[in-house]
Amino acid sequence: MTDSLPLAHFFHDMRDNPFLVTGLLAGLCASLACGVIGPYVVTRRIVFLSGAIAHMAVGGIGAALFARTMFPSACAGISPVHGALAAALCGAVLIGIVNQFVRERMDTLIGALWAMGMALGILLIKFTPGYHAELMSYLFGNIVYVAWSDVWRMLALDVVILGAVVVFHKRLLAICLDEEQAELQGINVLATNIVLLCLVALTVICLTQVVGLILVIALLSLPAATAAHHVTRMGPLLLVSTVLCAFLTTVPRIAVYGTQIGPESAIVLAAGGVYLLSVAVRRTIS
Amino acid sequence: MSDARPVVEIRGVTFGYPPAAEAQPVLEDVSLEIGPREFLGVIGPNGGGKTTLLKLMLGLLKPQRGTVTVFGRAPTEVRARIGYVPQHGRIDPAVPATVLDVVLTGRLSRSSWGSWYCRTHVEAARAALALTGMDHMASRTIGTLSGGQRQRVLIARALASDAQLLLLDEPTAGIDAHLEQGLTDLLHRLNQRLPIVIVSHDVSFVSTHLKRVACLNRRLTCHAASEVSWEVISHMYHEGVRAVRHRDECPLSDPGCHEGCVPDEPKEHAGR
């Protein structure tokens, strides 16, 4: 089979290997989340804040692993993803507040939260006895072995994210355009910012399964930024960026199937490549 | 009778930004009344407190001393009736939004949940665009507009909220002179319906249509904008020119703040 096309190879193996099906579905679920939230992240220029949220989630993973090992009776039900979710949401609220009230050296402060969240996670894991293979899958993604329970969890997060965007879209677009105007129109800018950052946190957790926490930022920003080159309204931008995300999480993964190249890296490299290509095309046209 | 009541009343307002709020106030003992058909220009040098004065009228800042009332109430209570037009540079041109999308945010206080504005709001936004002569550009992307066009869109956004008072911050910054005349004419037309306050360090904008000019440099003094019958000036500008007669107590007549005092010169010539 090694000499046949990866596509045919992939679909042939799909019949015997359920993980290939769940892997594809996980990619599509993550695409929906990042395709819808990515455009707000890029438009609002909070890619850096999103990176901080993703790395603070490592602290949550460390805390969850630590608690589960040290207090097995009380914390048996806690999985690292619970810790990551809780830490990402706490980080989103914290960063939203910092962003609103600390104007001076704000980027340095966010950078400190970014590094400290990650360092705390590494420290807690070091103090947790045993070897933690699953940590690696959270840091670098693991789209090869996705359980059905993961797919259902991602689908649930998608429903929450989509519902929130439908309810909050006008407010989110207003703070993207002009925060001061939104405030004068009676919008609570701080609360709206925190809602957006919490949606970013949920998306980060969704994407973790696909590309891992370290590379989440690539998938959150690059497809949306690429789509923004060619679409000029928010509604169509959400649609195009979702389709692009779906393309990027499926095609590179199938293309490298059966090779030594990790699908997670292939996805991120493809996202970056498509973005750079789009920049080049745009430059040439204009 | 109620028409005669001032729309904005500012009484003895002192304001400073922390931490030097007391030691170095930006505004000191400022009092100002704005009537229902007022077309007031507030001029002064950068850092003179012009934008601070606007923010006090919007309730975005609270004075340390004195009171600000708009429509007889606290500014925060009547924000929906104040149309604020910021500098057009405030709008991020990279935001994927059309002109209509931007103007619709002027309806946000009436319809802030969900993803779509219903037809009444879209019609109000289109009517505001028609008033500013921008209705043919409703579906253009905001980033493709020129500075003057974007300024008109921001005025439309303020009008879309059914504003009964229009506050403009530096409306001519970065706008060509011939566009500027169109903008003054537009504001003059709008002034038939509602009071307008313009804040500017660009003194040339003060030249037409304004009924009254307030000079602001920490303290505030009002002047009546009056015609200058100086033929040479008129010839030079190809249009009617108004000059400001600075009184002695005007803070702008201090040496060192000549930046805001250019209209003074024609007066000296005219006086000869």
Side-chain angles (χ1 to χ4, degrees):
Chain A
M1 285 304 283
T2 45
D3 56 342
S4 68
L5 282 169
L7 186 70
H9 190 181
F10 186 88
F11 283 111
H12 177 265
D13 287 3
M14 229 159 86
R15 270 173 272 169
D16 313 320
N17 187 353
F19 282 123
L20 291 180
V21 179
T22 52
L24 273 188
L25 288 176
L28 293 177
C29 287
S31 302
L32 194 55
C34 86
V36 167
I37 296 303
Y40 294 105
V41 169
V42 172
T43 305
R44 190 126 177 75
R45 298 168 197 265
I46 53 168
V47 174
F48 182 65
L49 304 196
S50 310
I53 291 173
H55 287 76
M56 285 167 86
V58 178
I61 293 172
L65 284 173
F66 184 78
R68 196 174 62 178
T69 314
M70 301 312 267
F71 314 101
S73 54
C75 306
I78 294 181
S79 85
V81 74
H82 295 142
L85 194 54
L89 286 173
C90 290
V93 174
L94 191 63
I95 284 173
I97 291 169
V98 165
N99 196 26
Q100 178 91 2
F101 294 107
V102 185
R103 285 279 165 235
E104 202 183 339
R105 301 227 178 268
M106 198 271 290
D107 53 338
T108 312
L109 200 55
I110 302 289
L113 291 174
W114 172 317
M116 281 166 69
M118 183 110 192
L120 187 70
I122 293 168
L123 195 71
L124 284 169
I125 288 161
K126 198 172 156 54
F127 282 120
T128 309
Y131 175 70
H132 303 287
E134 52 192 329
L135 177 69
M136 284 302 158
S137 81
Y138 283 102
L139 290 184
F140 300 108
N142 190 350
I143 201 173
V144 181
Y145 299 106
V146 180
W148 275 105
S149 61
D150 294 324
V151 174
W152 295 129
R153 192 194 62 235
M154 291 166 85
L155 208 55
L157 290 179
D158 276 344
V159 170
V160 172
I161 289 168
L162 272 182
V165 165
V166 167
V167 171
F168 283 99
H169 172 70
K170 281 194 287 197
R171 290 167 178 249
L172 294 175
L173 184 60
I175 60 167
C176 286
L177 278 166
D178 187 348
E179 267 190 24
E180 198 173 57
Q181 154 80 5
E183 190 187 342
L184 290 172
Q185 289 285 324
I187 303 301
N188 187 335
V189 173
L190 174 62
T192 312
N193 266 328
I194 288 177
V195 165
L196 178 57
L197 290 171
C198 285
L199 290 175
V200 170
L202 296 184
T203 308
V204 161
I205 301 306
C206 242
L207 288 173
T208 299
Q209 194 81 54
V210 181
V211 289
L213 282 172
I214 310 279
L215 300 178
V216 147
I217 273 321
L219 218 46
L220 196 57
S221 58
L222 293 176
T226 309
H229 284 164
H230 310 283
V231 186
T232 52
R233 275 195 91 181
M234 205 53 154
L237 181 59
L238 300 188
L239 197 69
V240 172
S241 121
T242 305
V243 171
L244 189 58
C245 276
F247 175 84
L248 286 168
T249 50
T250 356
V251 174
R253 160 164 173 52
I254 295 174
V256 300
Y257 182 70
T259 70
Q260 291 292 305
I261 304 167
E264 299 86 10
S265 325
I267 288 170
V268 171
L269 286 175
V274 167
Y275 173 71
L276 292 178
L277 193 68
S278 175
V279 170
V281 166
R282 208 172 174 227
R283 289 262 157 161
T284 324
I285 289 171
S286 62
Chain B
M1 291 294 263
S2 61
D3 272 11
R5 269 191 25 218
V7 175
V8 180
E9 282 181 274
I10 299 172
R11 297 214 184 288
V13 161
T14 296
F15 178 86
Y17 290 97
E22 288 295 320
Q24 289 169 302
V26 178
L27 297 176
E28 197 173 340
D29 195 25
V30 167
S31 294
L32 178 66
E33 281 190 4
I34 298 168
R37 285 290 170 269
E38 188 86 70
F39 195 170
L40 174 75
V42 179
I43 60 165
N46 287 325
K50 303 185 298 293
T51 303
T52 305
L53 188 69
L54 280 191
K55 288 192 170 173
L56 285 163
M57 285 192 230
L58 288 163
L60 290 171
L61 299 172
K62 300 240 174 308
Q64 272 98 19
R65 251 174 287 153
T67 56
V68 179
T69 57
V70 181
F71 302 115
R73 300 170 63 185
T76 44
E77 293 172 26
V78 289
R79 265 182 192 165
R81 296 164 69 187
I82 309 174
Y84 173 55
V85 183
Q87 296 184 31
H88 67 83
R90 270 196 66 87
I91 295 284
D92 183 351
V95 174
T98 61
V99 165
L100 187 64
D101 289 333
V102 174
V103 176
L104 275 168
T105 61
R107 305 293 294 180
L108 206 60
S109 66
R110 289 170 177 78
S111 162
S112 63
W113 296 107
S115 301
W116 297 276
Y117 291 91
C118 68
R119 206 198 294 162
T120 37
H121 297 302
V122 175
E123 276 166 8
R126 286 193 179 278
L129 276 170
L131 267 179
T132 55
M134 291 294 289
D135 39 348
H136 60 293
M137 293 201 171
S139 53
R140 280 273 293 273
T141 308
I142 191 74
T144 63
L145 264 51
S146 72
Q149 290 169 331
R150 232 179 280 171
Q151 193 68 57
R152 282 168 179 268
V153 170
L154 292 184
I155 293 172
R157 182 181 74 176
L159 294 173
S161 64
D162 295 334
Q164 291 159 294
L165 165 68
L166 214 49
L167 307 178
L168 294 97
D169 193 359
E170 304 279 4
T172 57
I175 292 178
D176 290 343
H178 68 281
L179 280 171
E180 197 179 297
Q181 188 55 46
L183 195 65
T184 30
D185 292 343
L186 165 66
L187 291 175
H188 182 61
R189 263 189 292 127
L190 293 173
N191 183 229
Q192 312 302 313
R193 316 187 328 170
L194 74 177
I196 298 179
V197 179
I198 292 178
V199 148
S200 183
H201 74 274
D202 176 6
V203 192
S204 67
F205 192 79
V206 177
S207 60
T208 42
H209 295 315
L210 292 182
K211 291 172 182 162
R212 200 155 64 112
V213 172
C215 292
L216 184 64
N217 192 12
R218 196 160 54 85
R219 289 176 292 123
L220 181 136
T221 315
C222 285
H223 310 273
S226 53
E227 285 271 330
V228 172
S229 54
W230 190 36
E231 288 172 22
V232 181
I233 295 265
S234 306
H235 185 69
M236 203 161 65
Y237 284 88
H238 302 295
E239 60 191 29
V241 172
R242 284 161 189 268
V244 180
R245 296 189 197 286
H246 289 276
R247 294 200 294 265
D248 289 340
E249 70 270 28
C250 173
L252 290 194
S253 54
D254 290 346
C257 67
H258 283 297
E259 197 185 346
C261 295
V262 183
D264 230 0
E265 279 183 19
K267 188 206 86 182
E268 285 172 17
H269 288 288
R272 273 175 204 165

